Amino acid sequence: MSFRTTKPIHQFIKITNPVRTLVVCVFFLLLNGCSSTLDLFHVYADLDNIRQSIERSGNPVNNEIRLQNAVKLCTKEEDKACLSAAHQYYGHLYRSKRVIAEQDYYLKNGFLEPNVTYENKFHYSAKHFEKAINFLDSTKEHEAIALLYIQLSLSYYLIADAAKECDALDKSLVFHFKAYPNDDISVEKVPLSFERLSDFIAHQKQRAGCEKFITQD
């Protein structure tokens, strides 16, 4: 399978549940000083720092160590929103400019996550975005899921898997209309210079050569 070199659009999805969880964490921490609550508070804060670090091309090895720790703690606490955010950031990490710039290091040493290599990093980026979506499946976070499917499609674009790219774009549009039946998502959340997310998705589907387009019922 050939690999793309075009830079993907990195859009970090902000999920509302983590914000609410932080407020609840602080409340219960003040009430009973629960250590697990404090740990969860710290992991959410660290996840936000990791997001900023990836955006600023920070140290990828350090970010991966922190993400591994975050996944362990989120799993221990059975916090799906936390796990979704951690896997989302993992997906971005493997596509980041800094990882690509450190090609020689990763060709020699690989990644901390088992079986991940420089050559297959985009495949694992897709797997992490899939996990991020799966952890939100039982929620009403339709907007977040729609935007995560766009990120998943971009990972499939980078590994030149047009069929899976188109499927992710189809699902993104479905969840987008669940969140915004009138297609009126804030323009700030729409990639590039498009005014509507549906127009961006249609553009991506046309570029990818998708056979059909989903339209609103």
Side-chain angles (χ1 to χ4, degrees):
M1 220 177 247
S2 61
F3 289 84
R4 309 281 189 177
T5 56
T6 304
K7 296 176 182 176
I9 302 163
H10 287 284
Q11 185 179 33
F12 290 80
I13 315 305
K14 293 184 178 179
I15 304 165
T16 56
N17 278 343
V19 176
R20 291 198 294 269
T21 302
L22 274 175
V23 174
V24 173
C25 282
V26 173
F27 176 73
F28 281 103
L29 181 62
L30 290 173
L31 284 179
N32 57 28
C34 176
S35 61
S36 63
T37 302
L38 181 60
D39 288 342
L40 197 56
F41 177 86
H42 284 157
V43 78
Y44 272 113
D46 198 38
L47 281 170
D48 190 58
N49 289 333
I50 293 168
R51 173 188 60 79
Q52 294 179 54
S53 179
I54 295 173
E55 288 179 321
R56 297 193 305 263
S57 296
N59 187 317
V61 176
N62 183 48
N63 283 332
E64 189 178 4
I65 292 172
R66 293 162 72 187
L67 280 171
Q68 282 192 332
N69 292 334
V71 169
K72 289 178 182 177
L73 185 54
C74 296
T75 301
K76 176 184 175 183
E77 298 296 326
E78 299 181 348
D79 191 309
K80 292 184 177 181
C82 180
L83 283 163
S84 180
H87 284 291
Q88 177 197 164
Y89 300 162
Y90 242 126
H92 284 292
L93 177 69
Y94 288 150
R95 296 189 330 209
S96 65
K97 295 178 183 178
R98 182 66 183 274
V99 164
I100 294 171
E102 299 287 346
Q103 176 179 346
D104 291 342
Y105 171 85
Y106 285 108
L107 284 172
K108 179 180 179 181
N109 300 288
F111 293 85
L112 298 177
E113 184 178 6
N115 303 318
V116 183
T117 66
Y118 187 83
E119 292 85 352
N120 68 15
K121 64 186 182 299
F122 294 145
H123 291 269
Y124 278 85
S125 171
K127 288 182 179 183
H128 280 291
F129 281 118
E130 288 172 347
K131 288 181 180 180
I133 292 167
N134 288 338
F135 280 116
L136 294 184
D137 268 350
S138 60
T139 73
K140 298 291 186 180
E141 299 286 350
H142 295 149
E143 177 189 318
I145 294 172
L147 296 175
L148 283 169
Y149 268 118
I150 287 178
Q151 293 303 315
L152 175 60
S153 76
L154 292 169
S155 291
Y156 282 131
Y157 167 76
L158 289 171
I159 57 179
D161 192 332
K164 289 185 178 180
E165 179 186 0
C166 291
D167 181 64
L169 290 168
D170 285 344
K171 290 175 180 176
S172 175
L173 196 58
V174 169
F175 279 96
H176 168 61
F177 279 126
K178 284 183 179 181
Y180 296 95
N182 296 320
D183 200 10
D184 55 351
I185 189 172
S186 172
V187 69
E188 288 81 10
K189 298 178 181 178
V190 181
L192 303 180
S193 58
F194 292 91
E195 294 185 359
R196 300 186 304 176
L197 190 66
S198 61
D199 291 335
F200 170 77
I201 294 172
H203 170 78
Q204 294 295 89
K205 287 170 66 69
Q206 185 175 27
R207 174 199 49 72
C210 302
E211 295 180 356
K212 59 182 179 180
F213 293 78
I214 291 180
T215 56
Q216 185 180 8
D217 292 333

